[in-house]
Amino acid sequence: MSDSPGMTRKALIIEDNHDIARLIQLHLGDIHFDADIAGDGGAGLARFQRVRYDLVVLDLMLPVQDGLSVCRALRAAPGYVPILMVTAKSTELDRVLGLEVGADDYLTKPFSIPEFLARIKALFRRMEAMGGGDEGAAGTRVHGDLSINPGKRQVCIEDREIPLTVKEFDLLLHFARHPGRVYSRARLLDEIWGYHHNGYDHTVNSHINRLRAKIEQDPARPRYILTVWGVGYKFNDQLD
C-alpha cells in the first residue's frame, strides 16, 4: 500500500478493550487511516452498514456478537473489505476458523505495533497485486466456460455468477494467471496467505475442495484446478 500523505483510507476497529482500540487507532493514523471504533460486534456491524470502510480490524472475543459471526456477516455483505482478525486466542483451531470464515490475516495478542503495521501493509500489497497488474477493471480472463474479472472480483461460468470467498477468489485468480504451473501447498500458503501461515497445509486443501465444489461440474473429475500427485496443484492449460 502507498504511504503517500495525500491518501487516506477509512478503517473500522471492532474491539471491546478500549485501550487496545485506541492504540490501534493511533497507529493506523501513522499509515494514513482514519479509524472508527466499535466496542462490540453488533455496534461494529451497524457502523459497517452506514460507512464504506477500506479495512476492518476485528477482535475474536466480542460482546453482543462474536468475531466469527461478525466476520461471516461482513463477507456476506456486497463488496470486499480486507479483514485483520486480532485476538488473545492462539490455538491452531482458532486461527484456522478465523481464516476459514473469511479473515485475510490473523494476529495474536499481545502483538508489537511494527508487526501489526507490517501485516496491514502486506495485506494491501497482496490485495493490490491480485487486483492489479495489466488487467484493469474490465480485464476479464476467459478459460473455457470460466471467466474471471480481477477488478470486480467476479467469477462467472456460462454467464452465471459464482459467489466465492476472498481466499477462494485469490486462489483461483492466482492459478488462472499461471496456467500449467505446478504449485505446492507450501508455495500457495506463502503466496496467498503469507509466510506466517506455514504449516497449515489443510487450509489449502479445504479451500481447493470448496473452490472445486463451486466451479467444477464434477468436483471428483476437475476440469480447471488439477491435482499433481505428490507435488500440489495446477490450473489446466489445455482448456478448450
Side-chain angles (χ1 to χ4, degrees):
M1 64 181 286
S2 170
D3 289 330
S4 169
M7 185 176 186
T8 301
R9 292 182 168 98
K10 286 285 293 181
L12 175 61
I13 303 163
I14 309 177
E15 166 65 67
D16 62 328
N17 184 311
H18 184 69
D19 291 339
I20 292 176
R22 289 282 299 184
L23 184 65
I24 292 173
Q25 182 185 47
L26 175 67
H27 287 284
L28 280 175
D30 295 339
I31 54 172
H32 317 298
F33 278 92
D34 178 18
D36 296 331
I37 295 173
D40 64 69
L45 282 177
R47 275 187 174 272
F48 185 82
Q49 290 165 359
R50 296 194 303 266
V51 180
R52 179 176 177 178
Y53 289 102
D54 303 296
L55 169 71
V56 175
V57 179
L58 176 64
D59 189 22
L60 180 60
M61 302 296 291
L62 290 168
V64 181
Q65 194 166 347
D66 68 85
L68 290 178
S69 63
V70 170
C71 191
R72 290 189 188 97
L74 296 177
R75 284 294 172 241
Y80 164 75
V81 60
I83 300 172
L84 174 64
M85 190 169 278
V86 293
T87 178
K89 287 196 169 186
S90 59
T91 67
E92 177 179 333
L93 177 60
D94 293 320
R95 286 194 289 270
V96 169
L97 281 174
L99 296 171
E100 294 292 323
V101 299
D104 293 279
D105 202 352
Y106 189 109
L107 194 57
T108 303
K109 300 174 185 174
F111 52 82
S112 71
I113 292 301
E115 181 181 10
F116 171 78
L117 296 180
R119 293 288 186 92
I120 297 293
K121 292 177 180 180
L123 191 159
F124 274 85
R125 282 197 301 270
R126 290 199 299 271
M127 184 180 71
E128 288 164 0
M130 284 296 173
D134 57 1
E135 302 161 323
T140 301
R141 306 184 66 91
V142 178
H143 303 271
D145 297 328
L146 177 71
S147 64
I148 308 169
N149 187 309
K152 294 182 178 179
R153 296 183 69 88
Q154 183 182 62
V155 173
C156 295
I157 294 180
E158 296 181 337
D159 298 324
R160 176 174 58 91
E161 186 171 354
I162 307 298
L164 299 181
T165 67
V166 173
K167 285 297 180 278
E168 288 167 359
F169 180 89
D170 289 349
L171 268 175
L172 180 59
L173 179 60
H174 189 69
F175 277 123
R177 281 178 167 165
H178 307 95
R181 184 180 299 178
V182 180
Y183 289 94
S184 68
R185 294 168 182 82
R187 180 73 179 271
L188 290 170
L189 281 166
D190 181 57
E191 297 193 8
I192 305 300
W193 279 267
Y195 72 92
H196 43 277
H197 296 304
N198 282 343
Y200 297 101
D201 287 11
H202 56 279
T203 297
V204 174
N205 295 342
S206 64
H207 277 75
I208 294 288
N209 290 338
R210 288 203 304 271
L211 187 54
R212 282 173 170 168
K214 293 180 179 181
I215 68 171
E216 301 284 1
Q217 185 174 2
D218 181 1
R221 301 179 65 183
R223 182 185 181 205
Y224 298 106
I225 300 177
L226 309 180
T227 299
V228 181
W229 296 106
V231 183
Y233 303 97
K234 70 174 183 178
F235 193 84
N236 191 349
D237 59 348
Q238 299 182 7
L239 292 167
D240 298 333

